[in-house]
Amino acid sequence: MTEANPPARAVPDATGAAVRAALGVGIAVSAYGVSFGALAVASGLDIWQTCVLSLLMFSGGSQFALVGVLASGGVAAGPAAIASATLLGIRNGLYSMRMSPVVGGPWWRRLLAAHWTIDESTAVASAQPTLRGQRVGFWVTGAVIYLGWNLTTLLGALLGDLVGDVRMYGLDAAAAAAFLGLLWPRLTSRQPVAVAIAAAVVAAVLVPWLPPGLPVLAAAVVAVVVGVTNVLGRRAR
Amino acid sequence: MTVWHIILIASIAVLALKLVGYLVPPSLLERPTPARVANLLTVALLAALTATQTLEAGGGVVLDARVPAVVLAAALYALRVPFIVVVAAAAALAALVRFLGWLA
């Protein structure tokens, strides 16, 4: 907004940096909603169901997981779909713990904050040097993504509704690419890479033997075993 | 169980997990093991979902147009191409391969 940043005013500048980071991340991430909306409708959800998921669940990974499992197993895979979405939501609980001192304030503010505690709001807040910047970064990112994600979900759902045959447009491959995109930034060291490869192999091997959705849950065991024993962890490097 | 039940139960569970984090004492975060398990759980589930979404069809493993699409996606992510562009490119490649009739 302003061309010049007066160096003497440190606090407004930190807030400005937080707002800029929040808008940049928020607008970029909101665009993913189009792919979610289109895939959800392609998985058999109607437009209302798709939009309620984005409004109520508001966690990209869990939403993609839910519709992904439903796409392969239908309503019969419901319990596995719920379990996959829930397990992927556990990390949000960790983010909440990290954001609790940042958010502060009365209970209703924490309630709203909880709903907006996702990868991006936590990441933007954590990157700010001052508490005020962290607070601004968290709320602006949360607000921008909540608005953007829900609008683009509706747009994607309407587009997906127009598109007929999913496979003809490669939307099934788009879902796989979307999961890979959510995974990619987490492959930062040897341990997560090893877990990712092992989990992918376990899930693929179990596909012919278990009902849809369960191979994904079985692969979660890999994370628990490696996480508890800390194989290939920091100390081993 | 209907689709609406599945959506509401899963949404409430995911929202509840977010709320729990604001209620538990922050000292739990100091312990490395729960934090590590939660982070690796995310990695394992996303990797497993990538694998099943790429290979699963009709209850079995099938190698089709999704495989080259995901290989392309991995290459583009490695080149730091934005998410939405990669997803569109993967869909386009799968559609093209099917249109040409190379892989079912």
Side-chain angles (χ1 to χ4, degrees):
Chain A
M1 267 178 259
T2 53
E3 281 95 50
N5 289 324
R9 300 173 62 192
V11 172
D13 187 44
T15 308
V19 171
R20 278 193 296 277
L23 289 176
V25 170
I27 291 167
V29 168
S30 294
Y32 304 0
V34 176
S35 53
F36 171 72
L39 288 170
V41 170
S43 307
L45 270 63
D46 64 30
I47 294 173
W48 281 108
Q49 292 165 335
T50 303
C51 288
V52 165
L53 262 182
S54 280
L55 285 165
L56 212 57
M57 186 177 280
F58 190 54
S59 189
S62 294
Q63 291 179 232
F64 274 113
L66 189 86
V67 300
V69 174
L70 287 180
S72 58
V75 177
I82 292 168
S84 300
T86 306
L87 287 174
L88 267 172
I90 289 177
R91 73 184 191 288
N92 291 326
L94 285 180
Y95 298 158
S96 299
M97 282 188 241
R98 215 179 295 165
M99 289 298 105
S100 194
V102 172
V103 170
W107 63 270
W108 55 265
R109 202 191 291 172
R110 284 163 191 265
L111 191 69
L112 182 60
H115 196 45
W116 288 358
T117 302
I118 52 173
D119 294 327
E120 293 80 12
S121 56
T122 307
V124 170
S126 303
Q128 306 308 314
T130 65
L131 179 64
R132 180 161 170 74
Q134 290 173 0
R135 197 167 286 168
V136 169
F138 175 85
W139 285 108
V140 176
T141 310
V144 168
I145 296 187
Y146 194 69
L147 192 69
W149 178 255
N150 281 292
L151 287 175
T152 55
T153 294
L154 176 62
L155 181 70
L158 293 170
L159 283 173
D161 209 32
L162 291 175
V163 173
D165 184 4
V166 177
R167 296 186 68 250
M168 204 175 122
Y169 293 92
L171 270 182
D172 51 347
F179 284 123
L180 188 62
L182 295 171
L183 171 65
W184 203 265
R186 296 175 180 279
L187 302 178
T188 49
S189 66
R190 209 163 54 170
Q191 195 178 43
V193 170
V195 167
I197 293 170
V201 170
V202 166
V205 166
L206 290 175
V207 158
W209 311 101
L210 294 177
L214 291 187
V216 171
L217 295 181
V221 176
V222 175
V224 176
V225 170
V226 174
V228 170
T229 59
N230 202 15
V231 183
L232 300 172
R234 287 266 153 73
R235 289 214 346 236
R237 293 175 87 189
Chain B
M1 193 179 266
T2 68
V3 173
W4 274 117
H5 291 136
I6 295 165
I7 286 172
L8 291 176
I9 293 168
S11 295
I12 290 166
V14 170
L15 187 53
L17 283 167
K18 292 176 177 175
L19 273 173
V20 163
Y22 284 92
L23 300 175
V24 298
S27 59
L28 194 69
L29 194 61
E30 309 296 314
R31 293 190 217 157
T33 303
R36 187 170 55 237
V37 170
N39 286 329
L40 291 176
L41 205 52
T42 305
V43 168
L45 289 165
L46 290 173
L49 283 162
T50 306
T52 53
Q53 199 73 48
T54 307
L55 300 169
E56 193 269 339
V61 169
V62 177
L63 298 178
D64 64 13
R66 293 171 294 176
V67 177
V70 169
V71 171
L72 172 71
L76 293 178
Y77 286 129
L79 294 171
R80 297 174 175 271
V81 175
F83 180 93
I84 196 80
V85 178
V86 176
V87 170
L93 180 63
L96 178 71
V97 167
R98 283 180 184 134
F99 177 75
L100 295 172
W102 289 341
L103 295 159

